[in-house]
Amino acid sequence: MKMKKLCAFVAAGMLALSLVACTDGNEPAKTATEQTQAESTKAEGSSETTESKGGKIGISMPTKSLERWNRDGSYLEKEFEKAGYEVSLTYSDNKIDQQVKDIEGLIADKVDLLVVAAIDGESLAQVLAEAKSQNIPVIAYDRLIMNTDAISYYVSFDNYTVGKLQGEFVAEKLGLANAGDKKFNIEFTGGDPADNNAKFFFNGAMDVIKPYIEKGTVVVPSGQTTFEQVGTAQWDTSKALSRFQNILGSYYSDGTQLDAAVCSNDSTALGVTQAIQSDYAGSNEIIITGQDGDEANLANIIDGKQTMTVYKAVANEAVATLNLGEAILNNEKPDASLIEKSGWSFDCTYDTSSYDNGAAVIPSYLLVPVTVTKDNIQKELVDTGYYTMGSDGYPHPVQ
């Protein structure tokens, strides 16, 4: 009997040593890129456990038709799954009724937390009231959801600053502050009126440019200077293209020079760029702004067709949403201390005054965007690991 026990003990010890060797000594080495990404993710506060925490997260995204929402959905899903949660991710094809049904389905599935990027910020109050009645907390993701007290928090970027960066870029490139008697022609292309963020983007840019309009340094030949006049439904590229073709045909066909096209995001900038390539009679280089860092727009920046984009690192936005969601699920009441506690390596502010959705002022975590041009694409997008530089000479998002 003693001999049997001794053999069993020796066998168990050998098995343990074998397991250690398999998990440590024989594990495939990470590539430099994988190691960098792993360290970056850990530094940003992302959870690394894959053990199930028993929680279910419902994520409702607007559409797959815009590149950036595919990135958002993918990053959110990966972060929550990596932290040990079960995730249900839906896309609503830019159809409001479909998003309502998607959220109803997530509620019926008894999710523990809802993360919602709204198609129309005005249309979800009723379905989210049902979430509240089921004690399901809701994080408004990237777009503020209006007229409901069901929203616990809002996670986004500083949307006013996005527009401000665009306006400041144009003002600096044209030298508006020291223009003297020179005059410059500028046109604006805004975003979706149903997206609460769109007005923040437009106002941020307009607040920079407006003093020069009032001074006479900047002229808007179309006369379209209000958000209502320049908005683009669903941020649609084809709608932006058609509208800008009309502007060029009506106000620039006589050789009038266009100096800058202030576009609130990359999908609208893509349409405006196409219109300029096909319908602009002039030959000067036009400043074109954007936002998001979409692949086609970054290629246009490399090729000199678009001048800049404001990049929002949605990978970081997903990390902030994860850490906020975990705190909520742990019955905490997150505030500004979450930023330091989470150890984020990116800049973020906690705002309790700016975002009133009509039912309450929603406490908000606002990340800081960055201006990207041809000169700093490598530094801001490739060196940070968000994109790789392809053999074709263009940046491509890391999946």
Side-chain angles (χ1 to χ4, degrees):
M1 181 64 69
K2 290 181 178 179
M3 182 61 69
K4 288 181 179 180
K5 289 183 177 179
L6 178 61
C7 290
F9 178 80
V10 171
M14 292 178 67
L15 177 60
L17 288 171
S18 175
L19 288 173
V20 169
C22 288
T23 55
D24 291 339
N26 296 332
E27 183 178 355
K30 288 184 174 69
T31 65
T33 300
E34 290 171 334
Q35 183 65 34
T36 299
Q37 290 174 339
E39 291 173 356
S40 175
T41 300
K42 184 175 180 181
E44 289 172 343
S46 174
S47 173
E48 297 212 353
T49 180
T50 56
E51 297 178 3
S52 175
K53 295 186 177 181
K56 185 183 291 187
I57 311 300
I59 301 173
S60 175
M61 292 283 108
T63 180
K64 284 189 172 183
S65 65
L66 290 181
E67 179 184 319
R68 62 118 347 145
W69 293 120
N70 293 303
R71 293 203 306 267
D72 283 270
S74 176
Y75 279 125
L76 284 166
E77 184 176 44
K78 288 177 182 177
E79 287 297 334
F80 277 101
E81 285 184 343
K82 188 164 53 180
Y85 295 95
E86 180 183 348
V87 175
S88 293
L89 171 61
T90 65
Y91 288 89
S92 304
D93 196 28
N94 259 337
K95 297 175 181 175
I96 297 169
D97 291 346
Q98 182 61 51
Q99 186 163 45
V100 171
K101 290 178 183 177
D102 288 342
I103 295 172
E104 287 174 342
L106 294 171
I107 293 171
D109 286 343
K110 301 187 183 301
V111 297
D112 299 290
L113 174 71
L114 277 169
V115 178
V116 179
I119 296 170
D120 182 344
E122 304 280 351
S123 302
L124 298 179
Q126 186 172 341
V127 69
L128 294 182
E130 176 62 22
K132 184 177 180 180
S133 73
Q134 300 291 327
N135 296 315
I136 300 172
V138 180
I139 296 175
Y141 180 87
D142 203 78
R143 294 174 171 177
L144 186 63
I145 302 171
M146 306 301 290
N147 302 318
T148 173
D149 62 358
I151 305 302
S152 301
Y153 290 88
Y154 175 44
V155 178
S156 187
F157 282 79
D158 188 333
N159 299 309
Y160 180 84
T161 295
V162 170
K164 186 168 177 281
L165 289 173
Q166 294 170 341
E168 289 173 343
F169 182 89
V170 169
E172 182 177 348
K173 288 286 285 185
L174 293 179
L176 297 183
N178 301 301
D181 294 332
K182 291 182 182 177
K183 295 185 184 299
F184 300 91
N185 293 325
I186 293 178
E187 298 290 344
F188 294 86
T189 298
D192 187 356
D195 181 350
N196 184 70
N197 291 348
K199 291 182 180 179
F200 282 93
F201 301 144
F202 176 76
N203 289 338
M206 180 56 80
D207 284 352
V208 175
I209 303 297
K210 189 175 181 180
Y212 299 107
I213 296 175
E214 294 172 343
K215 186 179 178 181
T217 303
V218 167
V219 178
V220 183
S222 71
Q224 298 179 23
T225 57
T226 68
F227 177 76
E228 289 71 24
Q229 292 172 313
V230 305
T232 308
Q234 298 182 336
W235 300 94
D236 188 80
T237 297
S238 62
K239 290 182 173 66
L241 167 62
S242 177
R243 172 179 170 269
F244 217 78
Q245 284 177 322
N246 289 333
I247 287 175
L248 291 174
S250 299
Y251 303 99
Y252 295 88
S253 60
D254 62 354
T256 298
Q257 178 170 302
L258 175 64
D259 296 294
V262 181
C263 305
S264 287
N265 86 327
D266 279 350
S267 60
T268 57
L270 203 60
V272 167
T273 300
Q274 290 171 7
I276 289 170
Q277 294 291 308
S278 63
D279 290 74
Y280 180 54
S283 59
N284 63 298
E285 183 176 325
I286 300 169
I287 298 168
I288 303 175
T289 71
Q291 170 196 180
D292 288 332
D294 287 353
E295 198 166 356
N297 298 79
L298 293 177
N300 279 347
I301 289 174
I302 293 289
D303 291 341
K305 297 176 182 177
Q306 182 172 325
T307 321
M308 64 88 81
T309 189
V310 177
Y311 184 67
K312 303 185 300 187
V314 295
N316 294 340
E317 192 174 9
V319 170
T321 304
L322 166 68
N323 295 150
L324 173 60
E326 287 193 301
I328 293 171
L329 293 174
N330 288 333
N331 295 316
E332 300 173 17
K333 292 186 176 180
D335 55 21
S337 65
L338 178 71
I339 297 172
E340 183 175 355
K341 188 187 303 181
S342 299
W344 296 334
S345 62
F346 49 86
D347 292 330
C348 182
T349 60
Y350 182 65
D351 186 310
T352 57
S353 61
S354 298
Y355 289 89
D356 187 337
N357 78 342
V361 176
I362 309 301
S364 306
Y365 291 90
L366 304 175
L367 286 71
V368 179
V370 62
T371 296
V372 173
T373 66
K374 185 176 181 177
D375 293 334
N376 70 350
I377 279 181
Q378 180 72 36
K379 174 178 178 289
E380 296 294 347
L381 299 187
V382 179
D383 293 348
T384 52
Y386 301 132
Y387 292 73
T388 58
M389 189 63 75
S391 57
D392 57 2
Y394 299 119
H396 301 283
V398 174
Q399 302 298 326

